[in-house]
Amino acid sequence: MHEFHSTFYAQEVIFGAGAVSGLREAVDRFGWQRLLLCTSRSLRQNGHAGRIESALDERHVATFERVLPHVPEAQVAEALALADEQRVDALVALGGGSAIGLAKALSLALERPRTDTTARDPLPTDQPKVPVVAIPTTYAGSEMTPVYGVTRDEPGAARKVTVTDPKVAPKLIIYDPALTLDLAPAVTAATGINALAHCIEALYSVTRNPLSSAAAREGVRHIARALPRCYAVGDDLEARTEMLVGAYLAGTALATVAMGLHHGLCHVLGGTAGVAHGVANSIMLPHAMRFNLDATAPQLALAAQAMGIMSDDPHAAAEEAIQRVYSLVGQLGLPQRLRDVGVAEADLPGLAQLALRSRAVQANPRPITDAAQVEAVLRAAW
Ligand code: NAD
């Protein structure tokens, strides 16, 4: 690769077991006074939400703890009313991609009434009025990116749409592996495969750059080694730490490149067919890799190498990597067919049509011009 164009965002990352104890000091340093916590019930039940509220102390003004998967638009409106009423100046997202996605959507919604600048394409140096602090507790990677998805109830079917704005890229990210020790095996597995998928799609992305490729390779290496250990023994702090490093690298790669077919399909399967994001990832990843095999064998071979597959033939290495991913998904007890997660065969043509409209599908390294190509991939996974 001899040409590239990449954008990075001003973000402070604090990583380490117990890192969350540094939250209050960081909030003071940034000067935020009135913070809203966005989280979900499971994080209330396991005590992590309470820990964050105590750490924020009087700076914590409210908690929205009914975060739902895929960020339904109605929920953004509900949380926005609370954020407005409390005149918040920063949002703390504790949880997976859903909590972080909701906080990003709120950040942008709160921005609009507080700025009088005319509409234009945002620049990477634009700073938010109401920034997001992300404390990720899954491996989905949203904490590093300037993107979020919301699900709109459109006539006939719900549709997940993505919004990109540098202002929503979280300004402070605290990775604390101790918060992931009680992440259930199924969520560990599914969001871990999501992180692996980010690395693989970053490696063959049409907009890859030297840093995204380096992060993605290293991400694959850590994830391939740590994910089975985290699944087998959830409270293995060393494995959880390595897995979170992998997720950080995956998120870093994801933040700077265009994704492809795999990502576009997972959004449609989530927003329209209601499949959990990580589960959609687990089913689709080997199929998307196979679809791209001939066009991207050298890049897939880099993923293979990071998994410990040694071969001088890139095509053979890539082929083995696809098998390895498929076996890993099975070993982690994740579903491997769309029919097993409630997707009806009759829905495949409609899902393919929707996916064809996605920016990610349009940016796939092997060009996709026809819904039939997408439908064939969905059928193979059905
Ligand atoms: P999620 O956020 O929906 O979380 C899954 C479940 O795990 C939830 O029930 C949550 O309460 C629970 N949970 C999370 N952490 C826990 C913990 N430590 N202990 C116990 N339970 C815990 O799922 P996800 O896969 O993390 O995120 C998926 C969403 O994120 C999708 O909407 C996806 O589109 C989006 N996403 C966005 C990006 C981006 O760059 N914008 C990247 C990846 C995913």
Side-chain angles (χ1 to χ4, degrees), residues 40 42 46 96-98 137-138 140 142 145 147 160 179 183 191 254 277:
S40 53
S42 50
N46 64 18
S98 301
T137 61
T138 74
S142 174
T145 78
V147 185
K160 195 162 175 179
L179 299 182
L183 191 59
T191 66
L254 167 71
H277 189 65

Side-chain angles (χ1 to χ4, degrees), residues 39-43 46 48 67-71 94-101 104 136-149 151 160 162-163 179-184 187 190-191 194 198 251 254-255 263 266-267 276-279 281:
T39 192
S40 53
R41 289 218 172 88
S42 50
L43 285 138
N46 64 18
H48 296 324
V67 167
L68 294 172
H70 306 301
V71 195
L94 170 73
S98 301
I100 298 171
K104 288 174 172 179
T137 61
T138 74
Y139 306 121
S142 174
E143 63 279 0
M144 294 307 296
T145 78
V147 185
Y148 65 90
T151 303
K160 195 162 175 179
T162 52
V163 179
L179 299 182
T180 64
L181 297 178
D182 45 12
L183 191 59
V187 189
T191 66
N194 188 192
H198 292 150
L254 167 71
H263 195 80
C266 290
H267 266 246
H277 189 65
V279 169
N281 270 268

Side-chain angles (χ1 to χ4, degrees), residues 275-301:
V275 182
H277 189 65
V279 169
N281 270 268
S282 306
I283 297 171
M284 295 314 306
L285 184 57
H287 297 280
M289 290 168 79
R290 179 159 305 289
F291 180 84
N292 283 320
L293 175 60
D294 288 337
T296 66
Q299 289 75 39
L300 284 171

Side-chain angles (χ1 to χ4, degrees), residues 8 19 62 95 109 118 121 125 144 147 170 229 241 246 258 272 306 336 356 367 380:
F8 293 86
T118 48
D121 279 343
T125 46
M144 294 307 296
V147 185
R229 288 175 62 201
T241 302
T272 304
Q336 299 195 283
L356 191 65

Side-chain angles (χ1 to χ4, degrees), residues 23-379:
L23 173 64
R24 176 57 194 254
E25 184 273 325
V27 164
D28 285 351
R29 210 160 16 84
F30 276 92
W32 298 316
Q33 303 285 335
R34 300 182 61 78
L35 293 98
L36 170 77
L37 176 64
C38 300
T39 192
S40 53
R41 289 218 172 88
S42 50
L43 285 138
R44 167 69 63 204
Q45 282 156 5
N46 64 18
H48 296 324
R51 250 165 246 128
I52 300 300
E53 289 166 348
S54 304
L56 291 171
D57 201 9
E58 83 286 1
R59 303 273 157 102
H60 165 250
V61 294
T63 297
F64 182 87
E65 65 183 55
R66 292 184 301 283
V67 167
L68 294 172
H70 306 301
V71 195
E73 255 186 346
Q75 180 161 77
V76 179
E78 197 188 330
L80 182 60
L82 179 63
D84 248 342
E85 180 192 299
Q86 294 294 336
R87 293 170 289 106
V88 307
D89 62 4
L91 303 148
V92 181
L94 170 73
S98 301
I100 298 171
L102 174 66
K104 288 174 172 179
L106 288 179
S107 171
L108 213 54
L110 289 164
E111 180 90 10
R112 289 189 182 122
R114 296 186 194 190
T115 176
D116 53 7
T117 52
T118 48
R120 59 165 171 74
D121 279 343
L123 293 169
T125 46
D126 289 347
Q127 294 302 315
K129 296 257 182 297
V130 184
V132 176
V133 176
I135 308 175
T137 61
T138 74
Y139 306 121
S142 174
E143 63 279 0
M144 294 307 296
T145 78
V147 185
Y148 65 90
V150 286
T151 303
R152 279 191 190 144
D153 242 337
E154 292 191 351
R159 190 163 84 94
K160 195 162 175 179
V161 292
T162 52
V163 179
T164 303
D165 190 312
K167 292 192 287 302
V168 303
K171 293 286 115 192
L172 172 66
I173 299 116
I174 300 188
Y175 284 104
D176 188 338
L179 299 182
T180 64
L181 297 178
D182 45 12
L183 191 59
V187 189
T188 298
T191 66
I193 295 292
N194 188 192
L196 181 64
H198 292 150
C199 294
I200 287 171
E201 290 236 301
L203 279 170
Y204 62 47
S205 169
V206 291
T207 60
R208 64 189 179 273
N209 61 71
L211 217 50
S212 65
S213 297
R217 280 173 79 169
E218 192 62 1
V220 172
R221 193 172 69 78
H222 286 298
I223 294 164
R225 211 163 51 189
L227 184 54
R229 288 175 62 201
C230 293
Y231 178 75
V233 185
D235 61 359
D236 178 340
L237 184 62
E238 195 185 285
R240 288 291 191 182
T241 302
E242 177 164 14
M243 188 57 215
L244 207 55
V245 169
Y248 159 65
L249 291 165
T252 301
L254 167 71
T256 70
V257 299
M259 292 279 103
L261 170 68
H262 171 77
H263 195 80
L265 280 174
C266 290
H267 266 246
V268 170
L269 287 166
T272 304
V275 182
H277 189 65
V279 169
N281 270 268
S282 306
I283 297 171
M284 295 314 306
L285 184 57
H287 297 280
M289 290 168 79
R290 179 159 305 289
F291 180 84
N292 283 320
L293 175 60
D294 288 337
T296 66
Q299 289 75 39
L300 284 171
L302 296 176
Q305 206 179 45
M307 290 176 198
I309 297 165
M310 295 303 161
S311 168
D312 292 336
D313 174 0
H315 202 277
E319 180 69 56
E320 201 177 329
I322 297 171
Q323 291 302 334
R324 190 75 70 87
V325 170
Y326 188 78
S327 305
L328 177 63
V329 170
Q331 184 194 332
L332 298 175
L334 290 162
Q336 299 195 283
R337 297 187 309 185
L338 290 174
R339 70 180 74 181
D340 297 335
V341 295
V343 178
E345 189 177 10
D347 292 339
L348 300 182
L351 292 170
Q353 286 289 355
L354 272 181
L356 191 65
R357 286 159 60 186
S358 114
R359 265 184 304 170
V361 171
Q362 286 160 17
N364 191 63
R366 175 178 159 194
I368 297 175
T369 50
D370 190 334
Q373 290 171 285
V374 183
E375 192 181 323
V377 178
L378 286 169
R379 279 197 187 282

